[in-house]
Amino acid sequence: MQQANYGHTSIDENDRSSMGSLKIFFGYAAGVGKTYTMLEEAHELKKLGVDVVLGYLEPHDREETLIKACGLKKIASQKILYHGMDIKEFDLDGALKRKPSVILVDELVHTNAIGSRHEKRYQDIEELLDNGIDVYTTLNLQHLESMNNVVEHLTSIKVRETVPDYLFDQAAEVKLVDIEPNDLLTRLDTGKIYSSARAAQAKNCLFKINNLSYLRELAVRKMALKLSRKKKTAERLLVCISDSQSNQKVIRSAVQLASAFSCELLGIHISKEINSSRYSTQLVKNIKLAELLGIKVTTVYGNNQGQLIAEYAQRKSVSRIILGSSSHDTWIGRIVQRDLSDNLNQLLPNTDKYVIPQQISKAKKNTSAGFKTKKLFTLPELAKTFAVLAGVTLIGELFQLWHFDNATIILVYILGVLITAWITKTHRYSFLYSFLMIIVYNYFFTIPYISLKSSQENFVTFLIMFIVAFLSSSWTTRLRFEAKLDAKRAARTELLLQTSRLLQQANTLKKIYQITGKQLNELLNCEICIYPKKGTSLGTPFVFSNSKEKTNNIWKSEREKAVAIWTLKNDHRAGYKTDTLTNAYGMYLPLKGSQNTTKADSVNAVVGLNLRSAEQPDSFTLNLAISICNECAEAITRVINLEKQNQVFLAANKEKLRSNLLRGISHDLRTPLMTISGNTDILIQRSFNLGEKERQRIYHAIHSDAAWLNDLVENLLAMTKIDKNPLEANRQPELVDDIFQNSMTHLNEKAKSHVIKIDLNDPTLMINVDAQLISQVIINIMNNAIQYTPKGSLIKLSAKSDNNGMVHFNIFNNGPHLESNKIFELFYTNDKRTIGRKGLGIGLALCKSIVEAYGGSISAKNISPQGVLFAFALPQWK
C-alpha cells in the first residue's frame, strides 16, 4: 500500500497567526460587480490609514471600474516575452518587496504566462499569504473545481480554468456580490461588461436567463454551505479513483458531499500494475485532480477490488463510500459494477454507498474505439509464447514415440500454460497459448493425425483442456503478481527500516545528510543534492552521485540555489515536475519535521532531485523517496532539538558554576582579607609596642595571605582565558627548560621546605603551546604537592619526548596516596589532607582544561609503596 498527498496540505493553527488572510469577492458570473466592490472596500481601508495597494487589475476596459481604481497606490505589472509579444502579468516579486498590509489581485483563476514563477495566479496569492500579506481577490462560481461538472451539466458549457476548493474553504472571508439576472443582462446590453461583439457571443452561451438563474442559485447555496460549516467531524468519506474519464465527475461530487457533511475525504485506487509508470494518462489526471482538491489518495495493489476497498474502509473507519457507475456500456461492464456493489454490501453492510451516475459521450466512444487499435501483443512476448508451445509439442511427440497415453501429453500442455503465464507480462499470452494449445493438440495428437479434423467426443476434452488451462494461467498470473508485489513491499520495508536505523544512529546533521543522500541516490539512481539550512538562507550543498561526471557546479549555480531558497522560505516543493519554477534543473523538496510549528523556521533543509537526466520514477518509488525525506526531516529535528537541549544544559551548568565560583570566592576571600586587614590594623595602631620578632611574624602572615590571593587570581585569570575559547588557545614554540625555570620562581614560599629536583635530558626540547598557561599547570600541580605533603618531601619534575610527536611531563612526590579520583573535578577539595588554608578546588580542574585544550591528556596515580605521580602530555614542536 502506498499513500500520496501531493495536493494542498491543511494549515496548522500556529501557522495561521503568521500568515495573511484571504478575502474573496464571489459572484455567479462576470459583470456582477466583484472587482468594483473590491475597489470600494479598498478605498474604505485607505481612509482608515491601512497600507493598501492595487497589485493587478484585469484589463476589461470597464469604465466604472477603471475610475474606481483611481487614487489607489499601484504595483507596476511585469512584462513577460511570449512568442514575440510582451504580456503583462502580476509582479509577485515587486509585491513581496513592497509588502503592503493589503493587496488587491484581480481574477484568482488566471493562468500565468509561461516564464512566470507559478503556473497559476492562486499560487502567487498563496505565496503572498505565506509572507503575511492580506489579499483581496475575485472569483466566479464556475471556476471552482468541484462545481465544474455541475456547471457543465446545467449550462452545457465546459469551463477550462479552475481553482481548488480549499482556497474558497480556507478563505478568512467570502463576500457574495449578487445582482438579479435580468439586471445583469441589461448591463451586458449597455456595454458595461463586454464589447458589443463579445456581448452578442456571450448571450448565446453563458448569458442566457436560465443559465444565469442556475448559477446564481448555486452560488447562494455555496455561500450558505460555507457559512453553516463547522469544524470537521470524525466522519470520513472514501471515494474510489479509476482510470475512467468520467471519474472526474465522481471526484468532484465526492468533494461536494464531504463539504456538505463537513468531514474528511479519502481516496483509494485499486491497481493491478505494480509499476505505476504504466498507468494510463487519464488515471494520472484523475489522481492529480483528487490531490489538487485536497484528497489523500492511497494506492492499493491487488485483484479483489471489493475486499481491498472494504479492508481499507474498516481500517480508516469510513462511514460512506462513493463509487462511479461502470464506464463500460457493455453487459460485462454492468456485471462487474453490480458485482462490486454487491460485494461491498456484503462486506460492509452498515456503510452507506453512493453510486454517481455518468454519461458516456460519443466522443468517449470514439476514444474507446481508438483505444482498441492499441497493440495487444508484442513480438518478444509472442516469441516466448510460441517457444513454449513448440517445446511442449516436441516433448509430446517424444512421449508419443515412447507410447505414453494422451492424458500425460495433455498434462504437459497444461504445464506449458503455467510456464507461459510465469514468463510473460500479462494474461493475454497465456490465454492465446490456451487457445492455440487446443489447435496444436488436435493437429498432432488426435486421430486423424496431421489434421484439424476430430471426432465429436474430443470436443468435450478440448473444452475441459481450455477451461483448466485458462484457470491455471489466471492463478499463475495472480501468484506472480503477488510475488512481485511482496518483493517490492519487502524491498521498500527493508530500505525504510535501514534508513530509519541509520538515521537513529546519526548524531550530527552532516551524518544525517550523508545517509539520506546515499539512500535516495541508491533508490532513484539519480544525482541528489541536499542544501542544509544556514541562518535564514542555505549553506554549501552536499552532492551525491553514482556517475563519474558530477554536476556540482549546476547545484551551486545562482538559478538553482534561488529555487532552493524559495522552497526553504515557502515550505513548498518547486522545480522540475511541479507547478512552480518549472524551468529549474532539479525538483526541490522541503525537509520539515513534525515538531516544527511556525513557517519561519519550519524547513531545516532542502533536497534536490536530478530527475531530468534519470529514468522517471513511478509514483511508488517517488513516494518511497518522500518517505525517506520525511525520516530525514524527523532526524534533523531530533538532532536540532538535542543540540538546543545541550545548549540549555550547558548554559545551566555555566550558571551553576558561576554561582558556585562566586560563592566560593566570596567565602574564601573573606578569611585572608580579614587576616590582612587585622594584621595591618595592628601594625598601624600598635607597631611601637611590638617587638621585632612579633612584627616579622605579622609581615610573613600578610605576605602569605597576599601570595595565596595572588595564586587564586592567577588561576581565575587562566580559567577565564582558557574558557573563552579552548579551540583558539594560543600556540607558539616554547622551550620546556624556560617553562620549568619560570614555574620555579612562582612556587609557594613553602617550597623551600621541600626537596625539588628537575630532570630534563634535552635542554632544546620545545612544545607548541602558550608558555604562561603551561607554567600555570606546573605551578598548580607542584603547589598542590607542596600543600599536601609533609616538610622534607621529594618533588621531582621531568619531561621527555616520544616517537609520536608528544612530550610527556611527570611530576612525582613521595607524599601520602590520593584518596579520591575526583581531584580534577571543579571545586573538589580534600579537607582531611589540607595542611594550611583551604582552597577553592579549581587548580587541578584548570590544569585538565588547559592540557585538553592543546589536545593532550592528564592523569594522576598512586605509586607503591608511597608517592603520587601526575602525568600529562603535550604536542612537541619540530
Side-chain angles (χ1 to χ4, degrees):
M1 182 183 295
Q2 77 182 58
Q3 181 167 308
N5 184 18
Y6 303 118
H8 173 73
T9 303
S10 60
I11 301 171
D12 189 273
E13 291 300 326
N14 293 320
D15 287 339
R16 288 185 184 275
S17 60
S18 61
M19 293 182 63
S21 62
L22 175 65
K23 182 171 183 177
I24 298 176
F25 293 82
F26 187 57
Y28 66 87
V32 298
K34 303 182 299 297
T35 305
Y36 189 88
T37 306
M38 179 177 69
L39 293 170
E40 276 188 328
E41 290 205 10
H43 280 286
E44 293 296 326
L45 291 175
K46 181 182 176 182
K47 291 179 182 178
L48 295 173
V50 177
D51 182 19
V52 56
V53 300
L54 181 58
Y56 190 82
L57 187 67
E58 282 294 336
H60 289 305
D61 295 329
R62 295 169 185 165
E63 185 178 355
E64 294 178 354
T65 303
L66 294 175
I67 294 174
K68 200 66 180 177
C70 295
L72 293 175
K73 297 177 182 178
K74 299 179 182 179
I75 294 178
S77 301
Q78 66 169 336
K79 294 182 180 180
I80 296 179
L81 185 63
Y82 181 69
H83 290 304
M85 297 185 299
D86 285 333
I87 300 177
K88 291 184 178 181
E89 290 288 359
F90 169 55
D91 186 3
L92 176 59
D93 289 324
L96 292 173
K97 185 177 180 180
R98 171 67 171 75
K99 200 168 186 179
S101 297
V102 180
I103 186 169
L104 279 60
V105 184
D106 202 13
E107 292 289 347
L108 178 65
V109 75
H110 176 75
T111 299
N112 293 330
I114 296 175
S116 302
R117 179 184 303 172
H118 299 292
E119 181 181 355
K120 295 284 189 177
R121 181 168 292 168
Y122 75 79
Q123 295 172 316
D124 294 338
I125 290 178
E126 285 183 314
E127 187 167 346
L128 292 172
L129 295 172
D130 289 342
N131 284 273
I133 302 174
D134 294 344
V135 179
Y136 283 11
T137 188
T138 59
L139 178 68
N140 284 330
L141 167 82
Q142 62 267 31
H143 295 299
L144 279 173
E145 182 63 54
S146 64
M147 304 301 297
N148 189 274
N149 287 112
V150 178
V151 172
E152 182 180 6
H153 175 69
L154 293 176
T155 65
S156 300
I157 296 174
K158 179 67 175 177
V159 179
R160 302 295 178 185
E161 290 187 316
T162 59
V163 297
D165 284 48
Y166 68 79
L167 287 165
F168 183 87
D169 296 335
Q170 293 185 354
E173 184 179 354
V174 177
K175 183 171 184 177
L176 178 63
V177 182
D178 191 28
I179 186 175
E180 287 288 340
N182 289 324
D183 294 339
L184 182 60
L185 289 175
T186 301
R187 295 195 64 195
L188 181 67
D189 292 335
T190 56
K192 292 184 177 181
I193 302 177
Y194 298 131
S195 62
S196 57
R198 191 175 176 187
Q201 183 182 4
K203 291 186 71 173
N204 293 326
C205 296
L206 184 66
F207 281 77
K208 295 179 180 179
I209 189 66
N210 289 338
N211 289 346
L212 295 177
S213 298
Y214 288 146
L215 292 174
R216 187 189 186 201
E217 182 180 352
L218 289 174
V220 172
R221 286 183 182 178
K222 190 70 177 176
M223 277 299 303
L225 187 61
K226 178 175 176 60
L227 293 174
S228 63
R229 184 179 297 125
K230 300 178 181 179
K231 290 184 178 181
K232 286 189 175 183
T233 63
E235 191 176 3
R236 287 176 174 172
L237 272 69
L238 179 65
V239 58
C240 298
I241 313 294
S242 71
D243 59 355
S244 169
Q245 182 178 358
S246 57
N247 187 243
Q248 294 193 359
K249 177 184 176 182
V250 177
I251 295 170
R252 295 187 179 103
S253 300
V255 172
Q256 294 181 52
L257 282 173
S259 178
F261 290 117
S262 299
C263 57
E264 184 181 0
L265 180 59
L266 305 176
I268 185 172
H269 169 63
I270 310 298
S271 175
K272 295 181 180 180
E273 293 286 353
I274 299 177
N275 187 353
S276 59
S277 62
R278 297 170 62 184
Y279 286 171
S280 67
T281 304
Q282 186 60 52
L283 176 59
V284 174
K285 288 182 179 179
N286 294 348
I287 293 177
K288 187 175 181 179
L289 172 64
E291 292 164 351
L292 181 65
L293 291 172
I295 303 174
K296 296 178 180 179
V297 180
T298 300
T299 302
V300 180
Y301 298 93
N303 292 294
N304 192 334
Q305 292 186 356
Q307 184 68 36
L308 293 171
I309 293 173
E311 289 178 358
Y312 183 80
Q314 289 175 336
R315 188 183 311 163
K316 293 293 185 178
S317 301
V318 170
S319 57
R320 291 178 174 86
I321 298 178
I322 304 168
L323 303 166
S325 61
S326 175
S327 60
H328 304 283
D329 56 353
T330 63
W331 62 273
I332 295 178
R334 290 192 290 271
I335 290 175
V336 170
Q337 176 64 39
R338 190 161 52 246
D339 286 346
L340 178 59
S341 300
D342 293 341
N343 195 8
L344 288 175
N345 286 331
Q346 293 176 1
L347 295 170
L348 301 170
N350 298 322
T351 303
D352 295 336
K353 293 93 182 171
Y354 298 88
V355 178
I356 308 298
Q358 55 191 26
Q359 296 177 348
I360 304 172
S361 63
K362 292 181 180 180
K364 182 177 178 181
K365 288 183 180 180
N366 293 337
T367 303
S368 301
F371 179 77
K372 290 179 181 178
T373 62
K374 182 181 176 181
K375 292 176 65 177
L376 296 177
F377 303 101
T378 61
L379 188 58
E381 299 297 304
L382 282 175
K384 294 178 184 178
T385 304
F386 286 116
V388 173
L389 184 62
V392 169
T393 302
L394 180 61
I395 294 173
E397 289 288 354
L398 293 175
F399 280 10
Q400 194 174 46
L401 289 176
W402 296 335
H403 304 292
F404 283 81
D405 58 8
N406 283 358
T408 305
I409 298 175
I410 291 173
L411 291 176
V412 173
Y413 272 101
I414 292 176
L415 177 62
V417 175
L418 302 179
I419 296 173
T420 303
W422 193 262
I423 65 175
T424 55
K425 293 181 179 179
T426 66
H427 63 278
R428 300 192 195 104
Y429 300 98
S430 55
F431 179 84
L432 176 65
Y433 175 92
S434 301
F435 178 75
L436 295 177
M437 172 189 71
I438 304 301
I439 299 175
V440 174
Y441 177 78
N442 179 40
Y443 187 80
F444 287 104
F445 301 105
T446 60
I447 300 174
Y449 299 116
I450 317 302
S451 172
L452 294 178
K453 296 180 180 180
S454 182
S455 62
Q456 293 183 353
E457 303 122 16
N458 288 333
F459 285 109
V460 177
T461 303
F462 296 157
L463 179 61
I464 294 174
M465 283 179 64
F466 180 79
I467 293 173
V468 172
F470 181 74
L471 293 176
S472 300
S473 66
S474 298
W475 281 106
T476 304
T477 302
R478 179 173 296 184
L479 287 173
R480 187 191 63 177
F481 172 79
E482 294 293 340
K484 288 184 177 180
L485 182 58
D486 289 342
K488 200 158 190 175
R489 284 172 177 166
R492 176 183 183 180
T493 303
E494 181 182 359
L495 185 61
L496 279 177
L497 287 175
Q498 183 187 33
T499 303
S500 179
R501 184 175 63 253
L502 292 173
L503 290 175
Q504 286 177 359
Q505 296 173 355
N507 53 10
T508 64
L509 293 179
K510 183 178 180 180
K511 188 67 175 177
I512 290 174
Y513 297 145
Q514 290 175 342
I515 293 170
T516 304
K518 182 179 178 182
Q519 295 295 93
L520 289 175
N521 179 253
E522 181 180 345
L523 173 67
L524 299 174
N525 195 27
C526 71
E527 194 171 56
I528 307 296
C529 175
I530 300 180
Y531 293 89
K533 184 177 181 179
K534 185 177 181 181
T536 58
S537 187
L538 296 173
T540 304
F542 296 87
V543 181
F544 306 88
S545 176
N546 288 332
S547 61
K548 295 181 180 179
E549 296 182 1
K550 294 187 177 181
T551 57
N552 302 50
N553 293 332
I554 295 178
W555 298 111
K556 292 180 180 179
S557 67
E558 291 300 322
R559 186 186 71 172
E560 295 301 312
K561 195 168 183 180
V563 180
I565 291 174
W566 186 92
T567 303
L568 171 75
K569 293 182 177 179
N570 292 274
D571 187 17
H572 196 282
R573 68 177 57 190
Y576 180 62
K577 289 279 186 181
T578 69
D579 295 331
T580 301
L581 300 168
T582 56
N583 292 327
Y585 179 77
M587 174 191 287
Y588 295 90
L589 308 175
L591 296 184
K592 175 181 178 180
S594 60
Q595 296 182 6
N596 291 319
T597 56
T598 59
K599 188 168 288 292
D601 61 351
S602 60
V603 182
N604 297 319
V606 175
V607 174
L609 310 177
N610 177 13
L611 299 180
R612 288 186 184 271
S613 60
E615 182 180 352
Q616 297 302 308
D618 54 41
S619 61
F620 189 99
T621 304
L622 189 58
N623 282 337
L624 181 54
I626 293 173
S627 298
I628 292 176
C629 290
N630 292 337
E631 291 281 344
C632 172
E634 292 298 331
I636 292 173
T637 303
R638 172 178 56 81
V639 170
I640 291 176
N641 289 339
L642 186 61
E643 289 178 352
K644 290 180 180 179
Q645 291 175 5
N646 289 338
Q647 290 174 0
V648 172
F649 178 75
L650 290 174
N653 274 352
K654 284 186 177 181
E655 181 62 25
K656 182 179 179 181
L657 290 175
R658 188 184 69 85
S659 300
N660 291 339
L661 185 60
L662 289 175
R663 186 168 55 252
I665 290 173
S666 62
H667 177 272
D668 254 41
L669 289 181
R670 186 180 296 115
T671 301
L673 286 175
M674 288 180 64
T675 303
I676 292 173
S677 178
N679 286 330
T680 54
D681 184 66
I682 292 173
L683 291 175
I684 292 172
Q685 300 295 334
R686 301 173 52 194
S687 61
F688 56 89
N689 292 331
L690 297 177
E692 182 63 24
K693 184 176 181 181
E694 185 65 20
R695 283 200 299 271
Q696 288 297 323
R697 184 190 66 78
I698 294 175
Y699 294 153
H700 280 289
I702 293 174
H703 181 269
S704 176
D705 287 330
W708 188 91
L709 288 175
N710 183 66
D711 289 343
L712 175 62
V713 171
E714 288 294 333
N715 279 329
L716 290 175
L717 290 175
M719 177 178 285
T720 303
K721 185 176 181 181
I722 197 65
D723 185 58
K724 184 178 180 182
N725 194 343
L727 297 179
E728 296 181 3
N730 183 39
R731 295 172 185 267
Q732 61 184 22
E734 299 285 353
L735 280 170
V736 174
D737 187 39
D738 289 347
I739 294 175
F740 281 0
Q741 298 303 324
N742 180 64
S743 301
M744 295 304 102
T745 61
H746 291 82
L747 293 180
N748 192 304
E749 63 175 6
K750 295 180 181 180
K752 297 175 182 178
S753 61
H754 290 68
V755 179
I756 298 177
K757 293 184 178 181
I758 297 178
D759 182 10
L760 184 62
N761 296 330
D762 184 5
T764 63
L765 187 61
M766 301 181 74
I767 53 178
N768 192 27
V769 294
D770 184 322
Q772 185 178 357
L773 289 177
I774 302 306
S775 293
Q776 192 67 45
V777 172
I778 297 172
I779 292 168
N780 286 350
I781 295 176
M782 295 193 70
N783 281 342
N784 186 77
I786 292 169
Q787 182 178 358
Y788 288 104
T789 58
K791 293 181 180 180
S793 298
L794 172 65
I795 301 176
K796 184 178 180 180
L797 173 63
S798 63
K800 62 179 180 179
S801 61
D802 63 12
N803 296 327
N804 297 321
M806 300 294 289
V807 176
H808 296 269
F809 294 80
N810 293 321
I811 301 176
F812 170 78
N813 70 76
N814 60 356
H817 283 172
L818 298 173
E819 297 179 1
S820 174
N821 57 0
K822 299 180 180 181
I823 60 172
F824 292 109
E825 293 183 8
L826 192 60
F827 304 129
Y828 174 79
T829 59
N830 189 347
D831 294 337
K832 295 180 181 179
R833 293 182 50 197
T834 302
I835 303 174
R837 191 179 310 282
K838 175 180 178 291
L840 276 177
I842 63 174
L844 294 182
L846 176 62
C847 294
K848 183 174 185 293
S849 298
I850 294 174
V851 171
E852 290 181 349
Y854 287 107
S857 59
I858 189 170
S859 62
K861 64 179 180 178
N862 294 323
I863 304 297
S864 297
Q866 187 176 8
V868 177
L869 176 65
F870 285 84
F872 61 93
L874 293 169
Q876 182 179 359
W877 184 84
K878 295 183 179 180

